[in-house]
Amino acid sequence: MRLFGIPGVPLALTLAGLVPFAVGAGVMWVPEIGPVHQAQAALALLVYAGVILSFLGAVRWGAEINAQGGGGIPRAPLMVLSVLGSLAGWGLVLWGVLGSLGWPVFAAAAAAHVAQGVWDADGAGRPYWYRRLRVLAAFLAAASLVAAAAVYLIR
């Protein structure tokens, strides 16, 4: 099975990985859960967003190591850039835990996922299907994070 030229297994795994984004944002919209549970859902969503940014950085790190056939010296600028997602994710979690769980932190998380998606879409050295997959995933993750931000703007 292929959708948009994306092989079935990577597509299915990516869609499964997007479920926590959708569920986290969706739970935040349920008025009956109350403010404590809403904050717990928000924090869980924010932590997951940070974990995924770290995962995507690790994909870039591994791709750079493998780009030289495993025997060359990795390009330092790409290695440095590959850890920025992890650092951004950690910073977002700290912002949410120590600062404020409000719309700005979710807007920033959405922006970080869009930025990572744009970088991954350039796809240098990656198969075309991977670039499409990353655009789809970045869009859906960012949409969930924007929906979470909207909870704070509307309520």
Side-chain angles (χ1 to χ4, degrees):
M1 173 186 104
R2 291 172 92 79
L3 180 66
F4 305 119
I6 303 168
V9 171
L11 178 62
L13 293 172
T14 298
L15 293 175
L18 289 165
V19 168
F21 282 105
V23 170
V27 167
M28 289 175 65
W29 276 94
V30 177
E32 294 80 19
I33 67 168
V36 171
H37 289 111
Q38 181 185 30
Q40 290 172 332
L43 185 56
L45 175 58
L46 193 58
V47 168
Y48 188 70
V51 166
I52 294 303
L53 287 170
S54 293
F55 173 81
L56 294 169
V59 169
R60 280 289 187 157
W61 180 285
E64 180 56 26
I65 289 171
N66 197 39
Q68 312 294 326
I73 297 175
R75 296 169 289 186
L78 291 177
M79 298 295 284
V80 169
L81 286 173
S82 72
V83 300
L84 292 181
S86 299
L87 295 174
W90 180 240
L92 290 164
V93 170
L94 288 178
W95 183 3
V97 171
L98 303 175
S100 167
L101 271 177
W103 74 265
V105 71
F106 287 99
H113 276 270
V114 167
Q116 181 72 47
V118 167
W119 186 33
D120 289 343
D122 86 0
R126 254 68 76 229
Y128 187 69
W129 65 262
Y130 179 76
R131 293 180 278 171
R132 285 184 166 193
L133 182 70
R134 285 297 304 124
V135 168
L136 174 68
F139 173 77
L140 294 174
S144 293
L145 293 163
V146 166
V151 168
Y152 292 100
L153 291 171
I154 293 172
R155 290 190 179 171

